[in-house]
């Protein structure tokens, strides 16, 4: 597996560690990214994939007058 090195603000890493309950910054960031991706997949599953964005439009056709 390829690895990526990222530089983060120390306070940001510490906050992520505290909230995630991990003991090192790498585990915290990995957990946060995995959660973010899973959340995105759940959203796509519920709403359709990103290419279907035009269907989620809030524009509604005007009511027909008879």
């Amino acid at each position: 597996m390829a690895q990526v090195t990222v530089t983060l603000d120390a306070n940001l890493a510490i906050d992520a560690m505290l909230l995630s309950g991990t003991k090192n910054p790498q585990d915290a960031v990995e957990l946060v990214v995995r959660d973010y991706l899973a959340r995105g997949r759940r959203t796509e599953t519920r709403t359709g994939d990103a290419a279907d964005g035009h269907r989620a439009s809030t524009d509604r056709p005007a009511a027909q007058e008879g």
Side-chain angles (χ1 to χ4, degrees), residues 47-56:
T47 62
D49 80 31
D52 292 338
H54 65 281
R55 294 191 306 161

Side-chain angles (χ1 to χ4, degrees), residues 11-52:
N11 290 329
L12 182 63
I14 290 169
D15 285 347
M17 288 169 48
L18 291 172
L19 287 173
S20 66
T22 59
K23 296 186 186 274
N24 66 56
Q26 181 174 341
D27 290 345
V29 171
E30 186 174 334
L31 187 65
V32 168
V33 171
R34 286 182 188 277
D35 180 62
Y36 178 79
L37 293 173
R39 188 173 299 187
R41 289 183 189 114
R42 286 191 304 266
T43 300
E44 284 179 5
T45 299
R46 292 180 73 178
T47 62
D49 80 31
D52 292 338

